[in-house]
Amino acid sequence: MSNDNHKTELTTLLNELMTDIDSKSLHPKNKLLLYSRYVLSKLAWHFTVATLSKTWVTENIDSIANKYIRRWLEVPISGTLSTVFLTNNKFGLSIYPPSVKFIQCQTILRKALKSSPGESTNDLWKATSNHTNIQYDAYNSTKEVLKDFRSGHENKLLNQLTSQGSFFCSVKKFALPQLNKVWSIAQSKLPKNINNFTIRYIKNSLPTRKNLNRWAISSNSDCSFCLSPETLLHIVAGCTSVLSRPIYVETQFSPELSCSYFTNC
């Protein structure tokens, strides 16, 4: 089978599998479970034997998978998936895109060629060491591939995505390990609408006025009650005009929970 045939079959197979899962009346977490444990395994053979570039996989295969993941979790195109790719104990969903599976498959292949007891197989590894797949020799295991991938997304949330990474930044600095564990258990039991709401809350992709202004949908980013910038944290616990109403229980918030505490982290 030629590489072009592999590419065509990969694209067709992934589209068919994701469409089939999408048509099922399942909770998003179960759709993601099918994607992680079934779909990615179906792509592994092509990822191992075909001569593909990581760039091609990222642009053509990841884009298909990410489209459905966004649909299932109701994440808009403006919302990052970096938080979703993190582990459960870091408020993520412990999934990863097909390109990571591709690197894992190539890592296993290269390691098998290099460590094979057969001399001819070792010669094959040496003969292909000047090819593009030599980059995968840097990894010793599939766990290293996954760790490197998630480390990159953590760095992205901490240092690049100032708005969408604000929640993760705060959790990284101040959340207790016990809280992370409790959250992981609680989230797995949430109904679909609440589950998706929490995911969009964590990545700050809910349609607050601040976000609508940032997305060029609205020209006004101020709260309609107090005229302060309507950020996510302002809606939840920062609008003094609403919090002072009788429907809310009066609570003394510590200074650490102010908006500036989270947005300036």
Side-chain angles (χ1 to χ4, degrees):
M1 183 183 289
S2 68
N3 286 323
D4 287 339
N5 288 337
H6 276 294
K7 290 178 179 179
T8 301
E9 192 165 325
L10 263 172
T11 305
T12 303
L13 176 62
L14 182 58
N15 269 312
E16 289 178 351
L17 292 174
M18 297 299 275
T19 301
D20 187 35
I21 295 174
D22 187 52
S23 65
K24 301 290 190 293
S25 299
L26 298 173
H27 191 287
K29 67 179 181 182
N30 293 326
K31 291 184 178 182
L32 291 176
L33 194 62
L34 283 171
Y35 161 76
S36 298
R37 298 189 179 181
Y38 178 70
V39 174
L40 292 179
S41 65
K42 297 291 286 185
L43 307 179
W45 181 76
H46 293 283
F47 284 163
T48 303
V49 302
T51 304
L52 306 171
S53 69
K54 180 187 174 184
T55 301
W56 183 87
V57 175
T58 301
E59 293 179 351
N60 296 274
I61 304 301
D62 280 7
S63 59
I64 296 173
N66 290 346
K67 178 183 69 174
Y68 284 96
I69 291 172
R70 288 182 181 279
R71 180 183 300 174
W72 298 338
L73 299 178
E74 299 175 3
V75 177
I77 193 64
S78 57
T80 180
L81 290 179
S82 291
T83 51
V84 174
F85 292 144
L86 300 182
T87 55
N88 290 325
N89 64 352
K90 293 183 178 178
F91 293 81
L93 297 178
S94 292
I95 63 173
Y96 51 88
S99 58
V100 174
K101 185 68 175 180
F102 168 72
I103 298 175
Q104 289 179 325
C105 290
Q106 288 296 309
T107 298
I108 293 172
L109 174 63
R110 297 291 296 168
K111 188 175 182 180
L113 293 175
K114 184 178 181 180
S115 59
S116 173
E119 186 176 342
S120 58
T121 306
N122 288 152
D123 290 339
L124 179 60
W125 173 79
K126 294 176 183 178
T128 57
S129 290
N130 58 352
H131 202 269
T132 55
N133 58 8
I134 192 176
Q135 60 186 305
Y136 309 121
D137 290 345
Y139 299 107
N140 294 316
S141 66
T142 56
K143 288 184 178 180
E144 281 191 15
V145 176
L146 200 53
K147 183 179 180 181
D148 183 58
F149 167 75
R150 287 181 171 146
S151 177
H153 280 280
E154 284 190 32
N155 180 66
K156 185 178 180 181
L157 288 167
L158 288 171
N159 302 312
Q160 299 177 35
L161 300 176
T162 306
S163 176
Q164 297 188 61
S166 59
F167 181 92
F168 175 74
C169 181
S170 300
V171 168
K172 182 81 173 178
K173 289 183 178 180
F174 306 106
L176 299 174
Q178 299 93 316
L179 173 62
N180 297 354
K181 184 177 180 180
V182 170
W183 168 253
S184 178
I185 296 173
Q187 188 185 35
S188 65
K189 300 178 181 179
L190 294 174
K192 174 184 175 181
N193 57 334
I194 304 300
N195 177 77
N196 288 357
F197 176 86
T198 59
I199 291 172
R200 293 188 66 182
Y201 179 94
I202 289 172
K203 64 175 72 283
N204 190 17
S205 62
L206 289 168
T208 62
R209 290 195 176 187
K210 183 72 173 180
N211 281 342
L212 292 175
N213 178 258
R214 185 160 56 90
W215 300 334
I217 296 176
S218 173
S219 59
N220 183 17
S221 62
D222 295 336
C223 172
S224 58
F225 294 101
C226 67
L227 301 182
S228 297
E230 190 185 84
T231 62
L232 186 59
L233 288 168
H234 178 81
I235 292 176
V236 175
C239 183
T240 54
S241 298
V242 176
L243 290 174
S244 62
R245 294 185 178 185
I247 56 174
Y248 289 89
V249 178
E250 186 175 351
T251 306
Q252 293 294 326
F253 291 97
S254 63
E256 288 80 12
L257 293 179
S258 65
C259 290
S260 60
Y261 174 76
F262 288 92
T263 55
N264 293 332
C265 63

